[in-house]
Amino acid sequence: MIIRFEQASDIDKIFQVNLKAFETSTEAYLVNALRKADIELISLVAEVNKDIVGHILFSPVTLIEHKEIKIAGLAPMAVLPDWQNKGIGTQLVKEGLKACINAGYDAIVVLGHPNYYPRFGFTPSIHYGINTEYDVPTDVFMLLELKKGILENISGTIKYHSIFNEL
């Protein structure tokens, strides 16, 4: 398996991965809409035998009260159903976090499964005094500091790109 940055020739395959991995088409269309928004994205694919079997996307989010802190939102992360539970998602997250560090991000947020993301160091964001604009249970909105202590004594609300609210 190879984890690499997406290429233009991957776009249709990435759409299909997101379409097949989720119950609705929302995530597939979200990825395309974010790509067209001309914002800084980190988009990685998992490739096995030249087939795209997984995808992860990070896009900028804003801590409204502290816009100087550079934070990315992990959404979505998708693996084709036949390839799930084989470590592909884990590799996508690990490589994605490295790419975010290299891009200068201070922290990452994710709205995801509370039993999955803690293995990468994510903890409920409420422990930092940070919440999201969405009404979700506190254990599913998580945060990972990439720069230790960057969120110490900071609180506020994370706002996603407006495209997240349009789909």
Side-chain angles (χ1 to χ4, degrees):
M1 176 179 55
I2 298 168
I3 306 291
R4 61 172 175 77
F5 284 95
E6 86 169 32
Q7 300 167 358
S9 61
D10 299 326
I11 291 174
D12 290 338
K13 294 172 188 170
I14 290 170
F15 184 85
Q16 289 302 313
V17 167
N18 281 287
L19 200 59
K20 292 173 182 173
F22 294 101
E23 292 178 8
T24 70
S25 61
T26 302
E27 287 81 1
Y29 286 105
L30 172 66
V31 171
N32 283 353
L34 287 168
R35 196 181 286 116
K36 290 176 186 172
D38 195 32
I39 56 176
E40 178 184 346
L41 299 174
I42 293 175
S43 183
L44 302 175
V45 296
E47 183 180 72
V48 176
N49 298 326
K50 303 207 185 264
D51 291 325
I52 305 296
V53 299
H55 174 250
I56 193 167
L57 186 74
F58 296 85
S59 61
V61 299
T62 304
L63 181 55
I64 295 170
E65 297 78 2
H66 299 277
K67 293 180 175 147
E68 73 281 3
I69 299 174
K70 190 174 179 183
I71 304 174
L74 187 170
M77 194 266 289
V79 176
L80 288 174
D82 289 347
W83 289 92
Q84 292 176 6
N85 300 309
K86 299 180 190 288
I88 293 170
T90 296
Q91 288 304 105
L92 282 166
V93 172
K94 286 180 178 179
E95 292 302 316
L97 294 178
K98 288 179 192 174
C100 287
I101 290 168
N102 290 338
Y105 280 99
D106 299 316
I108 306 293
V109 293
V110 66
L111 178 59
H113 297 285
N115 296 327
Y116 184 77
Y117 289 97
R119 73 176 79 175
F120 306 104
F122 284 90
T123 58
S125 67
I126 199 76
H127 296 311
Y128 292 91
I130 294 173
N131 57 37
T132 178
E133 64 186 302
Y134 303 116
D135 184 21
V136 297
T138 57
D139 65 335
V140 301
F141 188 66
M142 294 169 273
L143 191 145
L144 172 65
E145 282 186 315
L146 298 177
K147 292 183 180 171
K148 195 75 174 146
I150 192 80
L151 300 173
E152 199 170 297
N153 301 317
I154 300 250
S155 62
T157 301
I158 294 288
K159 183 158 181 57
Y160 284 76
H161 192 283
S162 61
I163 288 171
F164 281 82
N165 298 319
E166 295 170 7
L167 297 174

